[in-house]
Amino acid sequence: MKNSRKATLLRMPKRRATPAFIVESRILILRHQRVILDIDIAELYGVPVKRLNEQVKRNEERFPSDFMFQLTSKEHAALRSQIATSNKSRGGRRYSPHAFTEHGAIMAATVLNSKRAVHMSVFVVRAFVRLREMLATNRRIAGKINELENRLDTNDSVILDLIEAIKDLMTPPKLRRARIGFQSPSANATG
């Protein structure tokens, strides 16, 4: 009999999702700003969305337009499938969600005044900072790529000029030769 070995499936160890990663995955870019929607903030801070929105309404002076804004119906419709809201007729959201910038997310933690909100706000700040650093790195890389392209364009034109000069040197100049042989005097007079 042959020795048969059991095939075992090797699995990668499960990587536990860090709070910073959880926050980073919820950051969106709307109106050229990095924001987190109220539904995600409420989940991160461990409160119902209704309670979060109540606290925001009670403390409107703490949320200027650069801290928080409400999505337009067009923006809400574009995000509707991504944030998985239910139909209005079936008890879903009646209003467009709020979008919180980095400062608005921190302010939301202060108005909620719960231990989890304060704890998670640290991860929110870290996530926004990390995103900002990544965007700055991407901008630097894009700048370097543009610089290299410009250098290549300059070098290409110099190389093409060199190739043309080499071709000119390789082709022998055409010399005007005197004709050999007898020439009739009538040919010289007419021609």
Side-chain angles (χ1 to χ4, degrees):
M1 270 188 155
K2 291 183 179 178
N3 273 345
S4 62
R5 291 185 195 176
K6 278 190 172 180
T8 57
L9 179 65
L10 296 175
R11 293 184 187 209
M12 294 295 290
K14 287 188 179 180
R15 193 172 143 194
R16 190 174 168 173
T18 61
F21 176 76
I22 293 169
V23 175
E24 284 175 21
S25 65
R26 296 169 188 223
I27 296 176
L28 306 171
I29 296 179
L30 290 171
R31 300 182 193 175
H32 305 290
Q33 295 182 19
R34 290 176 296 280
V35 297
I36 299 181
L37 297 178
D38 58 0
I39 191 166
D40 294 326
I41 290 271
E43 187 177 332
L44 288 170
Y45 292 168
V47 296
V49 179
K50 183 178 179 178
R51 178 155 180 258
L52 172 67
N53 288 333
E54 284 172 355
Q55 291 300 324
V56 168
K57 273 188 181 179
R58 287 181 185 155
N59 296 286
E60 281 184 14
E61 67 280 354
R62 291 186 179 200
F63 294 96
S65 61
D66 59 328
F67 281 28
M68 178 199 74
F69 57 88
Q70 193 164 14
L71 272 61
T72 63
S73 57
K74 190 175 182 180
E75 291 168 334
H76 186 214
L79 288 174
R80 192 170 181 84
S81 64
Q82 294 178 19
I83 58 177
T85 57
S86 59
N87 293 334
K88 288 181 182 178
S89 62
R90 296 190 181 164
R93 289 190 80 137
R94 307 251 186 304
Y95 304 103
S96 294
H98 290 95
F100 293 88
T101 63
E102 177 180 357
H103 302 294
I106 301 309
M107 189 60 71
T110 62
V111 298
L112 287 173
N113 202 18
S114 72
K115 284 187 179 186
R116 180 167 176 181
V118 172
H119 177 71
M120 289 302 291
S121 66
V122 172
F123 294 107
V124 169
V125 170
R126 287 180 181 156
F128 273 106
V129 168
R130 184 166 170 203
L131 234 138
R132 196 176 308 121
E133 289 171 352
M134 287 174 22
L135 288 173
T137 301
N138 286 346
R139 281 191 204 114
R140 281 194 299 269
I141 291 171
K144 287 183 181 187
I145 289 172
N146 285 338
E147 184 181 325
L148 284 173
E149 285 177 348
N150 291 338
R151 283 185 189 171
L152 287 176
D153 289 343
T154 305
N155 290 341
D156 284 348
S157 64
V158 170
I159 290 171
L160 289 175
D161 291 343
L162 283 173
I163 290 172
E164 286 299 317
I166 290 171
K167 283 182 181 177
D168 289 343
L169 291 173
M170 287 176 58
T171 56
K174 292 185 178 181
L175 298 175
R176 188 164 184 209
R177 296 184 188 183
R179 290 188 174 199
I180 300 175
F182 178 75
Q183 296 180 2
S184 67
S186 62
N188 286 340
T190 59

